[in-house]
Amino acid sequence: MGNPLGAIGTYVEVLRRRGADPEVVTGVTREVERLDRIVRGLLDYARPHEEALAPLDAGAVARGAYGLLEAQGALKPVRARLEIAPDVPRMLGRAHLLEQAIVNLVLNALDAAPGGVVVLGVMAWAYESRRAVLKRSSDPEQASFPRPPASRPARTEFVAGQPGVLAYVADSGPGVPSEDRERIFEPFFTTKEPGRGTGLGLAIVARAVHDMGGVVWVDTAREGGAAFKMFFPAAGR
Ligand SMILES: Nc1ncnc2c1ncn2[C@@H]1O[C@H](COP(=O)(O)OP(=O)(O)OP(=O)(O)O)[C@@H](O)[C@H]1O
Ligand SMILES: [Mg+2]
């Protein structure tokens, strides 16, 4: 798919040099670039993940992803914060898949909360299908944050209290309306204007998380917006 798109790009360049209408050439170039982004996203989504899972330090991966986004200046428009709790168990995964999932979630948070707050965190967590309140390492001992319970996907393999890792991205944006909370993970679901979003970001996250044996869901953040949460069972010792 990359090759025909590259060829179209070359032909367009030839047209430009031969004095074709610049407005049309610019339009074609823009749409070819957009198509290129969509194709890349689809390839990411469709690529079989065949490498074996290996024990992973999710905190280190999150730190790396955060550093990458910071170095690119992507975090400048918000007050961004990294919360890596101590004593996070190892999970089974692949660093590049987890990194991509985190980056996609942070990019969404940046879009949702310009000028606001974006938090990326990793902590130890025991899976509980109905516990809505969850504390971060930075919270005081007695803190409680009453919020409406999120619908959490049940994964039959997870027993209540299963120890693992919770990685979360929270923001102060408008949040996700409850009627959209399942649909946002479907490929091509987007509320962004045409040309801005392809709607593949969360589909890629869902696939990566599933392939690493985890679950992902969206909740309400205490920052006021969306909190995307990924749970992975701890790697057996
Ligand atoms: N942090 C968030 N706050 C509010 N809504 C969100 C958030 N993250 C995702 N969404 C909603 O979910 C939709 C789908 O997100 P997804 O990342 O799959 O696609 P996209 O961001 O629209 O496009 P792409 O990621 O492909 O560029 C978004 O268009 C938006 O409506
Ligand atoms: Mg996105």
Side-chain angles (χ1 to χ4, degrees), residues 23-43:
E23 203 180 309
V24 174
V25 170
T26 306
V28 173
T29 306
R30 187 184 57 234
E31 294 306 311
V32 166
E33 281 166 6
R34 204 178 136 213
L35 197 51
D36 186 56
R37 277 200 303 279
I38 295 173
V39 168
R40 273 177 217 275
L42 274 175
L43 288 176

